[in-house]
């Protein structure tokens, strides 16, 4: 249902004119230049939203630098996520009694997040992602310490990588909400939500991070497992696996696999899973760094006092 | 190791818990099977890590595992810390070894298990760490404000404030008022930070963060806890060392040990090692951190160094007058302050108003004010006047009252005739009628203007048919009449039944114009006549209407009279109770005045109004128990939130009476009473009344309910026998039971007997399987929900939009 109170943009982006000259350089699908076990660089920072009790921002740059392309049309999308955590706060009176922290997650694509504009009402894909995120986070929160209270985790996808280059014709249409790109986004969501939860100071048994790996067809060689596949890389993916992983406890809180794993017989499911865990472990390093940074600032602020307090 | 650490290592909660001897056994029982399994696995792991050199009891390991949610690393740390603490004083150790020899099961770590351990050990250990705490020692180094010069210092660290971030409310603790929970969270946070500061805060927090990184602690090259415990690194197996760069060793080891068939296992392990090999080269410190993109730079502002400056130079702190203080939303807002002041004005004004008086007078005023405040306004109870209603009624020398229902085929001119009657009797004034006439002309129905006097509804007027009973009143010198104008259309027969049930006699209107009479006779003329007869109406006045359209033909009138009287006598009316009058509603001839048309000179009888007046006064069942069928429920005004209207079928009622509403069987008090739209103290059977009720809720009332006295409430029945006159073929069938306003779905369950029409005796023979139209029979009727009925009540059975029978309840 469209929202008639707002002036909505066209359902899909209008394509900028592509002039003949630029077509002379053929639009190559970007190729992965990273090693199979190399992550894209992650930018993660907490404390973006002061009004929330915890917040974080995560950015994954596309593996191919955008400067390489002159044409706007082939600009590879990045992944930009913000997460805010509100709470723990008392449940409304109308809510039934809950002996532990009740977690509610929401993932929303900004209308401009992808080439295909999203509506304001969460669609099935977004709700599905939110459910996965909830599973990932539920396993890490110590809910018993916060009875009768709730926490809202809201992830906004500011820029979500698309499954296919938009100008290569309509890809399989199911990809709009449920393609391989969703898996990378979920992995990012887990990491950024974890950072925001830690920023909010909610008790956790460990730090959960998301990791993703995919079995990718090689033109000549047998299929190989790539860590952190980028949707812009135009790989032909057989199967993808996302995990939410707790490293110190060696536990998995969330596991989502899609595709046909059996296509690559010698690379079993376990291997795919291992690689996803590998990605999660690497993402954890970034997360720890981000937490360290924000913790240092907090410690100093609390010791010295905020200038505002001093003034008043 | 500082004393702080000692104090911290003492887990007070646990100490206190364990002191209660029985607590521990309970604790053990609570553990489920799953937990036990986890404990077992955890213990094995801890043992692995600790190695054989360390002797710690399983129980202890399990306890600490439980405490740390099966976190092996933490457990190991804790246990090692425990050991070092307890081992430092040599004396105790010796003591303990002795104890161990003596009692092999005795706890090694005396801080655990006080309840079960022997007392010597406990007291010793206690002294071992309690002794060093002398206040003199503790404050030995304190200069007590006489700080030597070399200790003075200036702290000039530039504070690193959090960046500005996005716009939004403050997340600081001094921000807006918080909920209790948020405050608790903040307090917790604060405490944690405080704790971190307390000790060697820098190293401590670093250690904490190191822990987060998840490297197994014993692998750290400078692993402080391990070296302090003196446990050799040999505790770590070769395998773990090899797996270390993979960062999740336990998972791998488990997998390698798993009993798979050899060939694939080897293959995987080889593959793993080769896939892992490039990672060994890659130092784990390489963190895939990216710099912020342009977008991120904008939303986070410039990097920390210059950004701090920015905070200071922002207008928030600088470009304000010195006197300006930012409103921090902690206190009430200015608006709130004003509102509060305004609200408190009232009470504060009072003492100002009071003139200075001697204290005694002041007290008096206060007392009055207080007592006024104490007064509660109670609902005035309705007083019953205990009237003898029958005597009052006699005294009032009432005019004859008569309700009559106007019946006839659709478009026979019932409403128009009545409208004419009212107009000629000056009940409706000329102006109103002119207005109706104009409006009716506008929609092209000029001839309906008179009917609009009674047909008030928009739909009724647009369609030109009466839909619901219209009630109106008029008085002549001797009698006061109530007109019940019934709808003629066959779809609205239930409404007609409701009206007919209140009537004393009927006016049957017949369309005399060519063709219409015949169609009417086939249509509702007959059905209506039968219905009113079965409702107990005995007297009927037949108004042969629209005679002006047939030039007042006497032949026509006679023909109609003959046919109708033949039919009515066969239906059970007595010939003496029939009266025929030729009239014309539209022109008003022979209604109130004699017809002026020369063609009508042959009629010498009285006009319609005289025939109505000649109706015999009905006998009123004044002394019977009260029965009133509720016709309508409405809000009678501000004073009377709930009123019901209807006709008193029997008995009498007065203000203050308590009545019971059936079938809800709720009592109510009569707060007020109106008879013919004038308030009165009492009412008797035959009158149309409005009762204003109190002490009852509207949900208990619906039209068709019966108002009765509490002493003799009407019975609500679900099955009853009816003696009916059949209009259609009756078999055991579904039907609708009508009684006045009330109608309920039900069914004829049994045909009890066929009765002889003349004698009323049951016809001999076998039980009837079918009752033919026109015959009289006794049938058993059942309804789904109980309906208030009593003997002699008149009911009508309808099915599929047709009246199938009417009769008396037995």
């Amino acid at each position: 249902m469209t929202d008639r109170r707002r002036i909505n943009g066209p359902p899909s982006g209008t394509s900028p004119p592509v002039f003949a000259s630029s077509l002379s350089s053929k639009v190559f699908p970007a190729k992965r230049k990273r090693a199979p076990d190399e992550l894209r660089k992650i930018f993660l920072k907490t404390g973006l939203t002061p009004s929330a009790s915890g917040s974080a921002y995560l950015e994954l740059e596309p593996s191919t630098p955008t400067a390489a392309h002159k044409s706007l049309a082939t600009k590879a999308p990045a992944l930009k996520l913000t997460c805010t955590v509100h709470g723990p706060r008392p449940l409304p009176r109308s809510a039934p009694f809950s002996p532990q922290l009740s977690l509610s997650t929401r993932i929303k694509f900004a209308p401009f997040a992808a080439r295909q504009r999203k509506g304001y009402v969460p669609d099935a894909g977004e709700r599905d992602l939110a459910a996965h995120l909830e599973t990932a986070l539920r396993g890490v929160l110590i809910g018993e310490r916060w009875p009768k209270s709730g926490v809202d985790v809201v992830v906004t996808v500011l820029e979500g990588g698309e499954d296919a280059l938009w100008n290569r014709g309509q890809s399989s249409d199911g990809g709009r909400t449920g393609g391989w790109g969703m898996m990378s986004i979920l992995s990012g969501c887990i990491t950024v939500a974890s950072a925001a939860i830690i920023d909010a100071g909610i008790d956790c048994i460990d730090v959960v991070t998301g990791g993703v790996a995919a079995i990718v067809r090689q033109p000549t060689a047998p299929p190989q497992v790539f860590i952190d596949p980028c949707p812009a890389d135009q790989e032909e993916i057989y199967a993808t696996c996302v995990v939410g992983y707790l490293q110190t406890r060696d536990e998995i809180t969330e596991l989502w696999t899609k595709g046909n794993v059996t296509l690559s017989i010698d690379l079993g499911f376990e291997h795919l899973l291992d690689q996803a865990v590998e990605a999660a472990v690497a993402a954890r390093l970034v997360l720890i760094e981000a937490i360290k940074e924000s913790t240092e600032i907090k410690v100093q602020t609390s010791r010295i006092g905020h200038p505002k307090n001093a003034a008043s | 190791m500082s004393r702080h650490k000692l104090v911290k290592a003492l887990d007070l909660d646990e100490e206190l818990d364990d002191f209660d001897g029985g607590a521990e056994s309970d604790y053990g029982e609570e553990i489920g099977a799953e937990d036990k399994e986890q404990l077992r696995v955890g213990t094995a792991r801890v043992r692995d890590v600790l190695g054989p050199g360390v002797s710690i009891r399983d129980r202890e390991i399990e306890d600490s595992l439980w405490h740390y949610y099966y976190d092996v690393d933490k457990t190991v740390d804790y246990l090692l810390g425990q050991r070092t603490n307890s081992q430092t004083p040599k004396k105790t150790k010796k003591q303990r070894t002795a104890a161990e020899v003596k009692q092999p099961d005795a706890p090694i770590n005396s801080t655990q298990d006080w309840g079960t351990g022997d007392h010597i050990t406990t007291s010793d250990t206690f002294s071992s760490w309690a002794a060093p705490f002398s206040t003199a020692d503790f404050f030995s180094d304190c200069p007590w404000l006489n700080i030597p010069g070399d200790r003075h210092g200036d702290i000039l660290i530039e504070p690193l404030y959090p960046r500005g971030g996005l716009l939004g409310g403050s997340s600081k603790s001094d921000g807006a008022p918080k909920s209790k929970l948020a405050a608790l969270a903040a307090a917790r946070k604060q405490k944690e930070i405080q704790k971190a500061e307390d000790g060697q805060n820098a190293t401590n927090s670093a250690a904490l963060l190191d822990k987060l990184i998840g490297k197994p602690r014993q692998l750290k090259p400078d692993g402080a806890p391990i070296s302090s415990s003196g446990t050799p690194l040999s505790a770590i197996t070769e395998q773990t060392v090899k797996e270390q760069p993979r960062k999740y060793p336990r998972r791998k080891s488990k997998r390698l040990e798993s009993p798979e068939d050899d060939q694939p296992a080897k293959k995987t392990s080889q593959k793993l090692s080769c896939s892992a090999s490039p990672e060994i080269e890659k130092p784990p410190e390489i963190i895939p951190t990216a710099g912020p993109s342009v977008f991120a730079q904008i939303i986070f502002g410039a990097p920390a160094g210059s950004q701090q400056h920015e905070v200071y130079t922002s207008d928030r702190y600088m470009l304000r007058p010195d006197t300006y203080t930012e409103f921090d939303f902690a206190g009430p807002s200015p608006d709130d302050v004003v509102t509060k002041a305004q609200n408190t004005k009232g009470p504060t004004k009072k003492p100002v108003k009071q003139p200075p008086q001697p204290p005694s007078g002041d007290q008096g005023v206060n007392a009055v004010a207080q007592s006024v405040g104490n007064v509660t306004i109670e609902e005035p109870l309705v007083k019953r006047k205990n009237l003898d209603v029958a005597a009052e009624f006699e005294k009032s020398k009432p005019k004859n009252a008569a309700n009559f229902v106007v019946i006839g085929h659709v478009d026979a001119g019932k409403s128009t005739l009545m409208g004419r009657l009212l107009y000629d009797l000056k009940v409706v004034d000329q102006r109103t009628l002119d207005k109706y006439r104009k409006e009716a002309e506008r929609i092209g129905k000029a001839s309906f203007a008179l009917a609009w006097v009674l047909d008030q509804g928009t739909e009724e007027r647009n369609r030109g048919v009466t839909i619901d009973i219209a009630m109106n009143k008029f008085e002549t010198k001797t009698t006061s009449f109530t007109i019940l104008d019934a709808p003629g259309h066959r779809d609205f027969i239930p409404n007609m039944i409701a009206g007919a049930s209140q009537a004393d006699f009927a006016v049957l209107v017949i369309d005399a114009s060519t063709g219409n009479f015949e169609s009417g006779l086939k249509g509702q003329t007959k059905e209506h006549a039968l219905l009113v007869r079965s409702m107990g109406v005995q007297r009927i006045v037949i108004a042969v209407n629209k005679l002006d359209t047939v030039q007042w033909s006497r032949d026509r009138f006679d023909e109609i009279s003959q046919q109708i009287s033949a039919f009515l006598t066969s239906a059970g009316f007595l010939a003496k109770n029939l009266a025929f009058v030729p009239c014309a509603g539209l022109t008003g001839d022979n209604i109130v005045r004699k017809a002026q048309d020369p063609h009508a000179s042959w009629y010498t009888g009285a006009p319609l109004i005289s025939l109505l007046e000649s109706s015999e006064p009905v006998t009123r069942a004044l002394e019977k128990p009260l029965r009133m069928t509720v016709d309508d429920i409405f809000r009678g005004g501000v004073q009377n939130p709930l009123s019901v209207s209807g006709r008193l079928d029997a008995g009498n009622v007065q203000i203050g009476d308590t009545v019971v509403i059936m079938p809800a069987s709720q009592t109510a008090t009569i707060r007020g009473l109106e008879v013919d739209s004038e308030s009165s103290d009492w009412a008797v059977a035959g009158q149309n009344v409005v009762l204003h009720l109190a002490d009852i809720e509207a949900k208990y009332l619906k039209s068709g309910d019966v108002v009765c006295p509490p002493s003799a409430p009407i019975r609500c029945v679900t099955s009853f026998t009816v003696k009916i006159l059949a209009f259609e073929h009756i078999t055991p069938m579904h039907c609708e039971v009508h009684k006045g306003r009330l109608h309920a779905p039900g069914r004829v369950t049994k045909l009890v007997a066929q009765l002889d029409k003349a004698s009323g005796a049951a016809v001999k023979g076998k039980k009837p399987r079918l009752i033919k139209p026109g015959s009289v029979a006794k049938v058993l009727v059942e309804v789904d929900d109980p309906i208030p009925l009593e003997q002699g009540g008149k009911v009508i059975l309808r099915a599929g939009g047709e009246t199938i029978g009417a009769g008396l309840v037995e």
Side-chain angles (χ1 to χ4, degrees), chain B residues 160 233 252 514 584 617 702:
Chain B
L160 189 65
L233 275 165
K252 288 294 133 190
T514 329
K702 60 179 193 296

Side-chain angles (χ1 to χ4, degrees), chain B residues 34 48 101 119 121 256 271 386 494 524 576 582 634 666 737 774:
Chain B
E34 201 179 317
D48 267 3
V101 169
H119 285 278
T121 328
L256 286 175
K271 206 166 228 144
N386 283 325
Q524 270 65 57
K576 71 174 167 88
F634 56 96
Q666 290 288 318
V737 180

Side-chain angles (χ1 to χ4, degrees), chain A residues 42 47 50 59 247 278 284 309, chain B residues 163 171 174 212 248 290 293:
Chain A
I42 303 169
E59 197 174 73
Q247 195 191 5
E278 202 73 55
R284 186 189 166 97
N309 296 352
Chain B
R163 334 139 305 264
S171 62
D174 58 343
L212 279 174
Y248 43 102
S293 66

Side-chain angles (χ1 to χ4, degrees), chain A residues 32 40 163 178-187 211-217 224-231 235-243 254-264 268-269 271-276 279:
Chain A
R32 184 178 170 119
R40 279 180 282 173
D163 285 347
W180 305 118
M182 288 297 116
M183 313 288 272
S184 309
I185 289 169
L186 176 64
S187 147
V212 60
I215 299 175
V216 178
R217 191 178 78 97
Q224 199 178 353
V225 174
F226 278 3
I227 268 184
D228 188 24
C230 177
E235 293 141 340
E236 194 176 326
I237 293 174
Y238 288 141
T240 315
C241 174
V242 187
V243 290
E254 158 73 13
L255 173 62
W256 184 20
T257 317
K258 213 162 137 176
N260 197 350
V261 185
T262 54
L263 274 178
S264 57
F269 170 71
H271 184 52
L272 179 64
L273 181 60
D274 283 345
Q275 292 302 306

Side-chain angles (χ1 to χ4, degrees), chain B residues 411-480:
Chain B
D411 283 342
K414 298 179 292 298
S415 299
T416 305
L417 190 69
M418 287 306 114
R420 188 81 211 183
L421 190 67
L422 292 172
Y423 172 57
D424 286 351
L425 289 167
K426 306 279 183 276
V427 179
V428 181
D429 57 6
Q430 181 69 44
R431 254 186 78 214
T432 320
L433 200 69
D434 284 349
K435 201 182 82 191
Y436 288 154
R437 206 160 263 158
K438 229 162 79 188
E439 284 172 15
E441 265 167 33
R442 200 185 306 144
I443 61 167
K445 290 185 172 171
S447 62
F448 282 86
L450 281 166
W452 283 17
V453 173
L454 287 156
D455 295 349
Q456 303 277 351
T458 334
E459 202 185 354
E460 290 185 329
R461 287 183 175 182
N462 286 339
R463 287 174 60 177
V465 293
T466 311
I467 290 172
D468 204 352
I469 288 277
M471 225 193 267
N472 217 314
K473 289 186 58 65
F474 67 93
E475 285 191 16
T476 62
K477 280 179 209 109
T478 53
T479 323
S480 70

Side-chain angles (χ1 to χ4, degrees), chain B residues 491-499 501 531 534-535 629 704 720 722 735-746 781 783 787-789 793-809:
Chain B
D491 290 352
F492 309 120
I493 295 274
N495 293 337
M496 180 262 163
I497 295 170
S501 65
L531 278 173
S534 54
M535 299 299 295
T629 308
F720 49 91
V722 202
C735 64
E736 204 163 66
V737 180
H738 289 256
K739 181 189 181 277
R741 270 283 163 191
L742 179 77
H743 51 99
V781 177
V783 285
I787 53 170
L789 268 185
K794 286 154 190 151
V795 294
I796 294 190
L797 306 181
R798 288 171 60 82
E802 303 256 345
T803 304
I804 57 167
L808 295 170
V809 177

